[in-house]
Amino acid sequence: MIEHALYLSVALFCLGVLGVITRRNVFVVFMAIELMLNGANLGFIAFARLHESMDGHVLALLVMAVAAAEAALALAVIILLHKHKGKLDTNVFNLLRG
Amino acid sequence: MADLLALLPLIVTTAAAIVVMLVAGFSLFGREVMALLTTGLFMFCFFVQAATLVSMPFFPYQQTFGSMLAVSPFSGVAGLIILACGGFSALASQTYFGHNKGYVPEFYAMLLFAACGMLLLTMAAELITLFIALEIMSLAVYVLVGADRERLLRAEAVLKYLMLGAFSGGFFVMGAMFVYGGLGTTSFAGISRVLAESGLFTSPLATAGFLLILICFLFKIAAVPFHAWVVDVYDGAPLPVTGFMATAVKTAVFCALVNLLLTDGSLLSVWRDILWYLCVVTLFTGNLIALGQTNIKRMLAASGIVHSGYLLIAIISADVTGASRTVIGFYLAAYALATLGIFSALSTLSGNDEKRISFADFNGLAKVHPYSAAMITVFLLSMAGIPPTAGFMAKFYIITAAFSAGQLVLGVLGLISTILSIYYYVRLIAAMYFTTPEDDFAITGLALAPAGTAVLAVAVFGFSLYPLGW
């Protein structure tokens, strides 16, 4: 049983990584990052069940709170970027090229 | 009660941040007073941290709040460096906002909130506490970078920083989850206890987890191959914020990394080989990037990558005893002094809208502002590691530590990298002294940053005399 939850968790994480790497839209990239964090959360819950301790639940809750704070800032940045260029495609933002 | 005593610097800094936030919200003071207030609060927090550090031997417990946090002399020293960085950055931003747009009163509150996150990060002794501290710090620093909403450059810098920062944060959480799954605990003490019982990495889950956590740390310290963001983000951020990021953020993250690696030596012994290669690549790639830059901010960002490489040398040649922590603390302090100094000098000299920022813009500075040029020279020589500056002593301690730990090749490579790095530091010195001035370098209004710069220039020499007992 634990394997299934873990496979799903890793699959979500990998989908998130893939989304961050391949997608060009800033909004979708942030969604992919949230997917990564939630993949980890699922793993925490599954392992809490396995270890029969509440630690995993608490950790997942804390990660969710942090993810919410991060999303709030990310949305503000997205609005800021949209105000400047009217688009959210990462190709449009090319002032900084390291 | 003892718990709260150990946390006193953090509590005081948080209270200061909230006070500044309220003051900013009600627009009680003007721009100048806000800077002075923030500097004063940072100084007060610095003294509280110093008092806590001095009285640390009398604490009954080193671990507080159920081993979620741990205070040690190392975390105390890192806290001192961070709070000093905050104070000098506040001084520099007072001058910077005198001739640059983009001032918002909440800027100073965010500076203090970032310092709160960093202090928590230095004390974190549990993976999720570490993550929360990392995010408190990062969220505040993202806001600092993007506070000027009118400039697209800032928005792009914050986009890049936020996306990659959150991405690496995802790796950290996934790593923490694997470690929790494999070992059943996320506290550093628990991890080392389990590892001591069951041998090293019998659990493949935990091995994968630690690798993911390492990736996040390497990203945060801008080690190659996770360095791509640092030059752009430093370039896009306002000058005082760049200085703050280059020093305080680096100090906090390195402190957390050292706390994780040196809880017991087992984690380090597994990672030592990977870190060895990454360290060498970091040193030389950083130097190559810095050699090609014409913009001072970008050059300093790239040299920050090289300095991360030196700190990695210290970590690789570390043992579990306190000696290596002392060396790392010394290097972080010496690097912070020089970097903050040069950024506060640049905050004064860069002029309206950061118009003077490339090497050529500083041609002949010594003829117009001899003292400023001399101080910038001192900071650059310290970063390059020329005696008798603090930077030289710091590099000396690190190379000596590498040799005494048997890392001969690494020590020699570190020396070669130092020699390479002299070129791009001396280039700016040569531009300031051996060319004729094209610019009048007019500075509008007398401000606090030059005072901070002078203090730091003296400190660069003074700190090199600090005896390191080991």
Side-chain angles (χ1 to χ4, degrees):
Chain A
M1 187 52 211
I2 179 78
E3 292 90 355
H4 302 297
L6 197 58
Y7 288 145
L8 182 58
S9 151
V10 173
L12 280 176
F13 180 79
C14 292
L15 274 177
V17 174
L18 210 65
V20 172
I21 293 169
T22 56
R23 288 311 190 98
R24 287 261 155 253
N25 189 308
V26 182
F27 210 83
V28 180
V29 170
F30 280 123
M31 280 164 61
I33 289 171
E34 292 296 311
L35 204 59
M36 287 166 68
L37 290 174
N38 283 320
N41 276 346
L42 185 64
F44 272 124
I45 303 291
F47 281 125
R49 192 67 183 256
L50 180 77
H51 293 308
E52 289 177 353
S53 72
M54 287 302 286
D55 293 9
H57 296 269
V58 177
L59 298 181
L61 269 176
L62 289 173
V63 171
M64 264 186 235
V66 173
E70 211 169 56
L73 186 62
L75 289 176
V77 171
I78 288 175
I79 291 171
L80 181 64
L81 290 167
H82 194 267
K83 209 177 73 186
H84 275 295
K85 284 276 187 177
K87 274 186 198 158
L88 288 177
D89 197 48
T90 41
N91 292 330
V92 181
F93 303 103
N94 51 11
L95 283 179
L96 293 164
R97 295 228 159 194
Chain B
M1 191 60 207
D3 280 6
L4 291 178
L5 209 60
L7 279 185
L8 197 60
L10 182 63
I11 295 167
V12 172
T13 315
T14 315
I18 294 169
V19 166
V20 173
M21 195 67 176
L22 287 174
V23 168
F26 288 107
S27 309
L28 288 180
F29 302 128
R31 187 167 51 77
E32 311 275 318
V33 183
M34 283 297 279
L36 284 172
L37 175 71
T38 313
T39 313
L41 285 172
F42 266 119
M43 274 169 70
F44 178 65
C45 299
F46 184 86
F47 287 120
V48 171
Q49 176 84 61
T52 315
L53 183 63
V54 172
S55 58
M56 208 170 271
F58 310 111
F59 287 173
Y61 310 106
Q62 296 292 302
Q63 309 242 322
T64 59
F65 290 107
S67 80
M68 290 282 158
L69 300 171
V71 290
S72 64
F74 182 56
S75 74
V77 168
L80 281 183
I81 300 172
I82 289 160
L83 291 169
C85 290
F88 283 110
S89 301
L91 280 182
S93 35
Q94 188 265 351
T95 305
Y96 180 81
F97 288 123
H99 45 233
N100 279 278
K101 288 196 267 303
Y103 165 75
V104 279
E106 286 82 5
F107 178 90
Y108 293 110
M110 283 301 155
L111 214 53
L112 277 157
F113 276 121
C116 293
M118 290 167 189
L119 289 182
L120 192 61
L121 191 56
T122 60
M123 298 179 204
E126 196 262 348
L127 286 173
I128 296 299
T129 313
L130 205 160
F131 176 67
I132 293 171
L134 203 64
E135 289 297 321
I136 294 174
M137 174 189 85
S138 302
L139 290 180
V141 176
Y142 300 147
V143 177
L144 285 175
V145 172
D148 182 1
R149 282 177 295 174
E150 300 306 317
R151 290 187 68 180
L152 181 58
L153 187 73
R154 306 271 188 263
E156 274 191 28
V158 74
L159 165 73
K160 207 161 206 172
Y161 196 20
L162 176 60
M163 281 223 285
L164 292 172
F167 187 53
S168 75
F171 277 94
F172 188 94
V173 177
M174 198 64 183
M177 187 275 275
F178 278 143
V179 171
Y180 175 67
L183 305 179
T185 174
T186 49
S187 80
F188 293 179
I191 288 169
S192 54
R193 195 174 55 241
V194 176
L195 287 184
E197 278 168 15
S198 62
L200 279 176
F201 296 98
T202 42
S203 157
L205 266 180
T207 314
F210 283 123
L211 199 67
L212 289 170
I213 290 173
L214 179 67
I215 289 176
C216 176
F217 270 113
L218 289 175
F219 172 85
K220 291 285 177 190
I221 63 171
V224 177
F226 307 101
H227 65 287
W229 61 279
V230 71
V231 179
D232 284 348
V233 174
Y234 281 24
D235 188 16
L239 274 166
V241 177
T242 315
F244 187 65
M245 279 160 64
T247 53
V249 173
K250 187 165 278 182
T251 306
V253 174
F254 260 102
C255 183
L257 180 60
V258 168
N259 282 343
L260 172 63
L261 282 180
L262 299 186
T263 303
D264 71 341
S266 51
L267 268 179
L268 181 63
S269 60
V270 178
W271 278 353
R272 192 171 264 135
D273 288 337
I274 312 175
L275 283 177
W276 196 98
Y277 289 107
L278 286 174
C279 168
V280 174
V281 179
T282 302
L283 282 174
F284 288 95
T285 314
N287 270 323
L288 273 180
I289 297 173
L291 285 172
Q293 301 300 336
T294 50
N295 178 321
I296 295 175
K297 237 171 159 183
R298 294 179 82 88
M299 183 274 278
L300 289 171
S303 85
I305 301 176
V306 184
H307 287 287
S308 287
Y310 291 122
L311 285 160
L312 281 177
I313 296 185
I315 288 181
I316 291 164
S317 44
D319 47 24
V320 195
T321 62
S324 41
R325 287 190 181 86
T326 322
V327 172
I328 293 168
F330 190 92
Y331 194 94
L332 284 169
Y335 171 72
L337 286 176
T339 311
L340 276 175
I342 196 155
F343 275 106
S344 67
L346 287 178
S347 299
T348 317
L349 294 167
S350 64
N352 294 341
D353 297 328
E354 296 189 21
K355 64 181 174 192
R356 298 186 202 101
I357 207 64
S358 75
F359 284 93
D361 291 338
F362 283 85
N363 278 347
L365 177 69
K367 301 208 173 50
V368 187
H369 292 299
Y371 292 116
S372 297
M375 284 193 285
I376 291 179
T377 309
V378 167
F379 299 132
L380 287 170
L381 290 181
S382 178
M383 288 172 96
I386 310 286
T389 55
F392 166 73
M393 292 311 288
K395 282 209 174 67
F396 172 76
Y397 288 135
I398 278 193
I399 306 282
T400 319
F403 281 146
S404 57
Q407 300 280 358
L408 292 178
V409 181
L410 201 58
V412 172
L413 288 174
L415 281 175
I416 295 171
S417 148
T418 307
I419 294 161
L420 281 177
S421 70
I422 288 173
Y423 171 75
Y424 50 82
Y425 292 125
V426 170
R427 224 173 99 195
L428 179 57
I429 300 176
M432 288 190 304
Y433 278 90
F434 304 124
T435 46
T436 47
E438 299 150 10
D439 199 334
D440 57 351
F441 294 105
I443 300 168
T444 46
L446 191 64
L448 292 172
T453 317
V455 171
L456 285 164
V458 175
V460 163
F461 288 116
F463 193 64
S464 71
L465 300 174
Y466 182 81
L468 211 57
W470 57 299

